[in-house]
Coordinates of all heavy atoms in Angstrom, one line a residue:
V355 N -19.0 3.8 0.0 CA -19.9 3.4 -1.0 C -19.6 3.7 -2.4 O -19.8 2.9 -3.3 CB -21.3 4.0 -0.6 CG1 -22.3 3.7 -1.7 CG2 -21.8 3.4 0.7
V356 N -18.9 4.9 -2.6 CA -18.6 5.3 -4.0 C -17.4 4.7 -4.5 O -17.3 4.4 -5.8 CB -18.5 6.9 -3.9 CG1 -17.9 7.4 -5.3 CG2 -19.8 7.5 -3.7
F357 N -16.4 4.4 -3.7 CA -15.1 3.9 -4.3 C -15.0 2.4 -4.4 O -14.2 1.8 -5.1 CB -13.9 4.4 -3.5 CG -13.7 5.9 -3.7 CD1 -14.2 6.8 -2.9 CD2 -13.0 6.3 -4.8 CE1 -14.1 8.2 -3.1 CE2 -12.8 7.7 -5.1 CZ -13.3 8.6 -4.2
L358 N -15.9 1.7 -3.6 CA -15.9 0.2 -3.7 C -16.3 -0.3 -5.1 O -15.7 -1.3 -5.6 CB -16.8 -0.4 -2.6 CG -16.8 -1.9 -2.5 CD1 -15.3 -2.4 -2.2 CD2 -17.7 -2.3 -1.3
P359 N -17.3 0.2 -5.8 CA -17.7 -0.3 -7.1 C -16.5 -0.2 -8.1 O -16.4 -1.1 -9.0 CB -18.9 0.6 -7.5 CG -19.5 1.0 -6.2 CD -18.4 1.2 -5.3
A360 N -15.7 0.9 -8.0 CA -14.6 1.0 -8.9 C -13.6 -0.2 -8.7 O -13.1 -0.7 -9.7 CB -13.9 2.3 -8.7
A361 N -13.4 -0.5 -7.5 CA -12.4 -1.6 -7.2 C -13.0 -2.9 -7.6 O -12.3 -3.8 -8.2 CB -12.2 -1.7 -5.6
I362 N -14.3 -3.1 -7.5 CA -14.9 -4.4 -8.0 C -14.8 -4.5 -9.5 O -14.5 -5.6 -10.0 CB -16.4 -4.5 -7.5 CG1 -16.4 -4.5 -6.0 CG2 -17.1 -5.7 -8.1 CD1 -17.8 -4.3 -5.4
A363 N -15.2 -3.4 -10.2 CA -15.1 -3.4 -11.7 C -13.7 -3.7 -12.1 O -13.4 -4.5 -13.0 CB -15.6 -2.1 -12.2
A364 N -12.7 -3.1 -11.5 CA -11.3 -3.3 -11.8 C -10.9 -4.8 -11.6 O -10.1 -5.4 -12.4 CB -10.4 -2.4 -11.0
S365 N -11.4 -5.4 -10.5 CA -11.1 -6.8 -10.2 C -11.6 -7.7 -11.3 O -11.0 -8.8 -11.5 CB -11.7 -7.2 -8.9 OG -11.2 -6.3 -7.8
W366 N -12.7 -7.4 -12.0 CA -13.2 -8.3 -13.0 C -12.7 -7.9 -14.4 O -13.1 -8.6 -15.4 CB -14.7 -8.2 -13.0 CG -15.3 -9.1 -11.8 CD1 -15.4 -8.7 -10.5 CD2 -15.8 -10.4 -11.9 NE1 -16.0 -9.7 -9.8 CE2 -16.2 -10.8 -10.6 CE3 -15.9 -11.3 -13.0 CZ2 -16.7 -12.0 -10.4 CZ3 -16.4 -12.6 -12.7 CH2 -16.9 -12.9 -11.4
A367 N -11.9 -6.9 -14.5 CA -11.4 -6.6 -15.9 C -10.6 -7.7 -16.5 O -10.7 -7.9 -17.7 CB -10.5 -5.3 -15.8
G368 N -9.8 -8.4 -15.7 CA -9.1 -9.5 -16.3 C -10.0 -10.6 -16.8 O -9.7 -11.2 -17.9
W369 N -11.1 -10.9 -16.1 CA -12.1 -11.9 -16.6 C -12.7 -11.4 -17.9 O -12.9 -12.2 -18.8 CB -13.2 -12.1 -15.5 CG -14.3 -13.0 -15.9 CD1 -14.3 -14.3 -15.8 CD2 -15.5 -12.6 -16.6 NE1 -15.5 -14.8 -16.4 CE2 -16.2 -13.7 -16.8 CE3 -16.0 -11.3 -17.0 CZ2 -17.5 -13.7 -17.4 CZ3 -17.2 -11.3 -17.6 CH2 -18.0 -12.4 -17.8
A370 N -13.1 -10.2 -18.0 CA -13.7 -9.7 -19.2 C -12.7 -9.7 -20.4 O -13.1 -10.0 -21.5 CB -14.2 -8.2 -19.0
A371 N -11.5 -9.4 -20.1 CA -10.5 -9.3 -21.1 C -10.2 -10.7 -21.7 O -9.9 -10.9 -22.9 CB -9.2 -8.7 -20.6
S372 N -10.3 -11.8 -20.8 CA -10.0 -13.1 -21.3 C -11.1 -13.6 -22.2 O -10.9 -14.6 -22.9 CB -9.9 -14.1 -20.1 OG -11.1 -14.2 -19.4
G373 N -12.2 -12.9 -22.3 CA -13.3 -13.3 -23.2 C -13.2 -12.6 -24.5 O -14.0 -12.7 -25.4
S374 N -12.2 -11.7 -24.7 CA -12.2 -10.9 -25.9 C -10.8 -10.7 -26.5 O -10.7 -10.5 -27.7 CB -12.8 -9.5 -25.6 OG -12.0 -8.8 -24.6
T375 N -9.7 -10.7 -25.7 CA -8.4 -10.3 -26.2 C -7.8 -11.5 -27.0 O -8.1 -12.7 -26.7 CB -7.5 -9.9 -25.1 OG1 -7.4 -11.0 -24.1 CG2 -7.9 -8.6 -24.5
T376 N -6.9 -11.2 -27.9 CA -6.2 -12.2 -28.6 C -4.8 -12.1 -28.3 O -4.2 -11.1 -28.4 CB -6.4 -12.0 -30.2 OG1 -7.8 -12.0 -30.4 CG2 -5.7 -13.0 -31.0
T377 N -4.2 -13.3 -27.9 CA -2.8 -13.2 -27.4 C -2.0 -14.3 -28.1 O -1.0 -14.7 -27.6 CB -2.8 -13.5 -25.9 OG1 -3.5 -14.7 -25.7 CG2 -3.5 -12.4 -25.2
E378 N -2.5 -14.8 -29.3 CA -1.6 -15.8 -30.0 C -0.3 -15.2 -30.3 O -0.1 -14.0 -30.6 CB -2.3 -16.1 -31.4 CG -3.5 -17.0 -31.2 CD -4.8 -16.2 -30.9 OE1 -4.7 -15.0 -30.6 OE2 -5.9 -16.8 -30.8
G379 N 0.7 -16.1 -30.1 CA 2.1 -15.7 -30.3 C 2.8 -15.2 -29.1 O 3.9 -14.9 -29.1
S380 N 2.1 -15.1 -28.0 CA 2.7 -14.7 -26.8 C 3.5 -15.8 -26.2 O 3.3 -17.0 -26.4 CB 1.6 -14.3 -25.7 OG 0.9 -13.2 -26.2
P381 N 4.6 -15.5 -25.5 CA 5.4 -16.5 -24.9 C 4.6 -17.4 -24.0 O 3.6 -17.0 -23.4 CB 6.5 -15.7 -24.1 CG 6.5 -14.3 -24.8 CD 5.1 -14.1 -25.2
S382 N 5.0 -18.6 -23.8 CA 4.2 -19.6 -23.0 C 4.4 -19.3 -21.5 O 5.3 -18.7 -21.1 CB 4.7 -21.0 -23.3 OG 6.1 -21.1 -22.9
H383 N 3.4 -19.8 -20.8 CA 3.4 -19.7 -19.4 C 3.2 -21.0 -18.8 O 2.1 -21.6 -19.0 CB 2.4 -18.7 -18.9 CG 2.5 -18.4 -17.4 ND1 2.4 -19.3 -16.4 CD2 2.9 -17.2 -16.8 CE1 2.6 -18.7 -15.2 NE2 2.9 -17.5 -15.4
P384 N 4.1 -21.6 -18.1 CA 4.0 -23.0 -17.7 C 2.7 -23.2 -16.8 O 2.4 -22.3 -16.0 CB 5.3 -23.3 -16.9 CG 6.2 -22.2 -17.4 CD 5.4 -21.1 -17.7
G385 N 2.1 -24.3 -16.9 CA 1.0 -24.6 -16.0 C -0.4 -24.0 -16.4 O -1.3 -24.1 -15.6
T386 N -0.5 -23.4 -17.6 CA -1.8 -22.8 -18.0 C -2.8 -24.0 -18.2 O -2.4 -25.0 -18.8 CB -1.6 -22.0 -19.2 OG1 -0.6 -21.0 -18.9 CG2 -2.9 -21.3 -19.6
V387 N -4.0 -23.8 -17.8 CA -5.0 -24.8 -18.0 C -5.4 -24.9 -19.5 O -5.2 -24.0 -20.3 CB -6.3 -24.5 -17.2 CG1 -5.9 -24.5 -15.7 CG2 -6.9 -23.2 -17.5
G388 N -6.0 -26.0 -19.8 CA -6.4 -26.3 -21.2 C -7.6 -25.4 -21.6 O -8.3 -24.9 -20.7
P389 N -7.9 -25.3 -22.9 CA -9.0 -24.4 -23.4 C -10.4 -24.8 -22.9 O -11.2 -23.9 -22.5 CB -8.9 -24.5 -24.9 CG -8.1 -25.8 -25.2 CD -7.2 -26.0 -24.0
A390 N -10.7 -26.1 -22.9 CA -12.0 -26.5 -22.5 C -12.2 -26.2 -21.0 O -13.3 -25.7 -20.6 CB -12.2 -28.0 -22.7
K391 N -11.3 -26.6 -20.2 CA -11.4 -26.3 -18.7 C -11.4 -24.8 -18.5 O -12.2 -24.3 -17.6 CB -10.2 -26.9 -18.0 CG -10.3 -26.8 -16.5 CD -9.2 -27.5 -15.8 CE -9.3 -27.4 -14.2 NZ -8.2 -28.1 -13.5
L392 N -10.6 -24.0 -19.2 CA -10.6 -22.6 -19.0 C -12.0 -22.0 -19.4 O -12.5 -21.1 -18.7 CB -9.5 -22.0 -19.9 CG -9.3 -20.5 -19.7 CD1 -8.8 -20.2 -18.3 CD2 -8.3 -19.9 -20.7

Side-chain angles (χ1 to χ4, degrees):
V355 172
V356 169
F357 288 96
L358 186 56
I362 297 169
S365 300
W366 281 83
W369 174 88
S372 66
S374 61
T375 55
T376 302
T377 56
E378 286 82 355
S380 298
S382 63
H383 191 294
T386 305
V387 298
K391 184 177 181 181
L392 186 64

